[in-house]
Amino acid sequence: METIRHLIEPSNLTNQEIEQLVALGLDIYQNPKNYAEKCRGKILASLFYEPSTRTKFSFDSAMLRLGGNTIGFADPDSTSDKKGESLTDTIRVISNYADIAVMRHPKEGAPLLASKHAGIPIINGGDGGHQHPTQTLTDLITIKRFKGSLENHIVAFQGDLKYGRTVHSLIKTLSRFNTKKFILISPEELKLPSSLKRQLLKKYPSLVIEEVRHLSDVVTEIDILYCTRIQKERFFNEEDYIKLKNSYILNKKSIKSAKADMIIMHPLPRVNEIAYEVDDDSRAVYFEQAKMGVYVRMALIMKLLEVE
Ligand code: NCD
């Protein structure tokens, strides 16, 4: 039986494949017309068991821009999930209706389970607080576009490093690309899980990870500042969320002494972690980042469907 390639976590791709996807995504960005027919006749199913704006629409847009079609749902209550159908049955059936599927699910591991029962490539569009590999590809194409290289940067993550799946996937992946230093800025309660930190240091003993409480302590040295939303939906009680929700608010003042070529990223949606006044700062690239997500997802769809 031929093996089907899935993207469940970033480690499913080699460094070379990641660089090729980023390069292909940038070529699609510059020459979209060359790709407008690449997936003619193909169908993408988007299966979203959790809310999404960017991931769902950028995947749909990516497939449509490749000349393909899309089916799917953004609300599982409108499907047989509501009647009690298992995820594995759903995916077996969807495999007959589409050529490739992207799935977002609140349960960690759901896309992996689905991939074991699927007859088509499955892409993880975010599983609980676990992983979000296509956001990582989006982040990497953005870094490549604005910083020229994926390597040798000082990268700071700020906000919810405990539950933020975008952080988990990106830090794991950037560890593979000679990152000069990671700086983790979070309240004590939302620190990067120590198991993940240990795992990274074990695999890459020369990795430098510094943990600080305040951006102001480190702002002058950062090349890439990756801000995140406090992940309200992952908290067990509302009180804890309320206590932490305004931990960090980036404003003009807080980046005054930052490097002129630092870039400010955010996977979006933002709630109030970045003041609107920052949007017109030339270092703010988060809306361009969301835009690049379409091109790198076009590249990924082409790769998994083995389109030349
Ligand atoms: C992120 C997610 O869903 O994890 N959003 C996204 O896909 N761009 C970030 C978030 O929800 O905070």
Side-chain angles (χ1 to χ4, degrees):
M1 210 178 100
E2 63 176 308
T3 50
I4 300 168
R5 287 285 302 268
H6 307 284
L7 178 59
I8 305 302
E9 53 174 291
S11 63
N12 298 146
L13 297 167
T14 64
N15 282 19
Q16 195 192 7
E17 285 177 316
I18 289 175
E19 297 205 75
Q20 283 165 352
L21 284 170
V22 165
L24 178 59
L26 286 170
D27 191 62
I28 300 173
Y29 167 57
Q30 273 144 10
N31 308 289
K33 284 205 178 77
N34 296 350
Y35 298 88
E37 296 292 327
K38 291 286 183 188
C39 287
R40 179 70 61 208
K42 300 283 186 195
I43 297 175
L44 167 87
S46 50
L47 317 173
F48 279 72
Y49 293 84
E50 241 194 5
S52 171
T53 302
R54 269 145 295 271
T55 305
K56 175 160 176 23
F57 290 120
S58 67
F59 262 111
D60 289 350
S61 172
M63 191 48 146
L64 295 170
R65 285 171 194 258
L66 288 167
N69 287 297
T70 67
I71 56 175
F73 59 85
D75 174 10
D77 281 357
S78 68
T79 73
S80 286
D81 183 64
K82 186 87 175 160
K83 300 181 192 169
E85 184 175 47
S86 69
L87 185 68
T88 54
D89 280 2
T90 303
I91 204 66
R92 281 181 69 165
V93 174
I94 300 274
S95 296
N96 299 311
Y97 301 162
D99 301 289
I100 186 166
V102 53
M103 172 185 290
R104 168 169 290 187
H105 206 286
K107 288 207 184 93
E108 299 191 359
L112 175 65
L113 176 69
S115 71
K116 306 226 185 272
H117 297 264
I120 56 175
I122 300 296
I123 300 167
N124 177 5
D127 60 330
H130 190 217
Q131 296 286 322
H132 196 344
T134 67
Q135 182 62 46
T136 294
L137 292 174
T138 300
D139 301 338
L140 295 178
I141 194 174
T142 306
I143 292 172
K144 180 82 178 178
R145 183 180 145 196
F146 288 98
K147 302 297 286 179
S149 158
L150 302 180
E151 306 204 3
N152 295 318
H153 303 300
I154 295 184
V155 183
F157 290 96
Q158 169 161 282
D160 187 346
L161 314 188
K162 180 177 180 186
Y163 297 115
R165 56 193 174 196
T166 63
V167 174
H168 302 161
S169 285
L170 184 58
I171 195 168
K172 269 183 149 176
T173 310
L174 279 177
S175 299
R176 296 158 54 184
F177 286 93
N178 296 319
T179 295
K180 211 187 273 174
K181 175 156 83 168
F182 290 113
I183 304 176
L184 309 180
I185 311 164
S186 73
E188 192 58 35
E189 295 87 337
L190 297 177
K191 279 168 87 167
L192 192 79
S194 51
S195 55
L196 176 52
K197 200 173 129 191
R198 264 199 313 274
Q199 189 190 331
L200 292 175
L201 289 169
K202 191 167 167 214
K203 202 153 177 206
Y204 311 97
S206 59
L207 210 65
V208 184
I209 303 182
E210 191 181 316
E211 294 184 283
V212 302
R213 183 72 181 77
H214 302 288
L215 175 66
S216 54
D217 299 336
V218 288
V219 68
T220 54
E221 47 175 317
I222 299 171
D223 298 311
I224 298 169
L225 174 60
Y226 195 94
C227 301
T228 62
R229 173 179 71 88
I230 310 290
Q231 306 281 297
K232 183 180 181 188
E233 65 277 32
R234 315 267 177 243
F235 279 71
F236 292 104
N237 69 68
E238 177 103 12
E239 259 166 60
D240 289 350
Y241 170 71
I242 291 170
K243 203 171 86 199
L244 293 166
K245 72 174 183 174
N246 292 326
S247 299
Y248 297 106
I249 299 174
L250 196 77
N251 55 28
K252 279 198 167 157
K253 200 166 146 228
S254 45
I255 48 169
K256 207 164 170 226
S257 53
K259 289 181 183 171
D261 65 348
M262 179 184 81
I263 57 170
I264 305 164
M265 300 177 66
H266 190 307
L268 303 178
R270 81 171 132 186
V271 181
N272 60 357
E273 316 75 60
I274 302 181
Y276 286 95
E277 65 179 24
V278 177
D279 295 1
D280 51 27
D281 189 295
S282 61
R283 292 167 290 189
V285 302
Y286 29 91
F287 287 108
E288 286 300 304
Q289 183 184 350
K291 175 166 119 189
M292 297 314 288
V294 175
Y295 304 107
V296 82
R297 287 178 171 111
M298 289 169 80
L300 178 66
I301 291 170
M302 283 178 57
K303 178 177 176 62
L304 295 181
L305 287 179
E306 297 177 0
V307 172
E308 284 304 308

